[in-house]
Amino acid sequence: MSIQERRERERAERHRLIVDAARELAEAEGWDAVTTRRLAERVEYSQPVLYSHFKGKDAIVRAVAVQGFVDITERMRAARTAHRSPRQALRALAGAYLDFAAERPALYEAMFVREVDLSFGSGDTPPELRAAFGEFVAVVEPLAGDDVETRIEVFWSALHGQATLDHGHRLRPTHRRARLDLLLSLFP
């Protein structure tokens, strides 16, 4: 291995370490606790080293969000592909999405709630986001009939609303299944 390859590997490892530390700190204490000073202490590098990887906290949150899309895509794909029936796959994907949001609230917030410099639905959309949307396409398309993208947007919006309201304790926890059943009834 050349010196250049070793340096690139070490840089990538530092990058991953910073992203993981930010994610863990946010999940433990919320995004307000994530500062470059605290991250530098946590990963045992100086703040200038952090700034050599990221321009600031917003860039770190963006990196965490992108990694979150990798995670949610894997979870939704596993749920979807575990079922042959399109309706069961739809239900499984919806459940995986809601479970992800409940289990990783700070990560979900970085992905969908916080203002992050990520472009959705454009030519600049990162592949990780496209892959997540692709899971929605794969599960909705067989049941949608016409205007697949609008149906996906409504489905996703409804899931996001439920996830956000569940997190804020604004919905009855005992009625999660009933809400999901009603949403799924929109797909004949």
Side-chain angles (χ1 to χ4, degrees), residues 3-14:
I3 292 174
Q4 180 65 26
E5 289 172 328
R6 182 177 54 79
R7 285 183 181 154
E8 288 175 13
R9 188 184 77 234
E10 289 171 353
R11 181 168 177 74
E13 179 60 25
R14 273 193 311 273

Side-chain angles (χ1 to χ4, degrees), residues 76-96 138-140 142-143 155 177 180-181 184 187-188:
M76 290 190 305
R77 183 174 297 129
R80 175 181 60 81
T81 59
H83 300 278
R84 287 188 181 262
S85 158
R87 292 199 53 73
Q88 288 302 316
L90 182 72
R91 176 178 292 284
L93 181 133
V139 78
V140 170
L143 300 168
F155 180 61
R177 183 174 176 92
L180 189 55
D181 289 345
L184 297 177
F187 295 91

Side-chain angles (χ1 to χ4, degrees), residues 47-61:
Q47 282 184 297
V49 170
L50 262 69
Y51 285 115
S52 74
H53 287 269
F54 300 99
K55 289 183 181 177
K57 180 177 175 177
D58 290 345
I60 294 168
V61 175

Side-chain angles (χ1 to χ4, degrees), residues 1 9 19 90 92 108 114 147 157 173-175:
M1 174 181 298
R9 188 184 77 234
V19 170
L90 182 72
Y108 187 84
R114 294 183 65 86
D147 202 1
S157 298
T174 57
H175 286 69

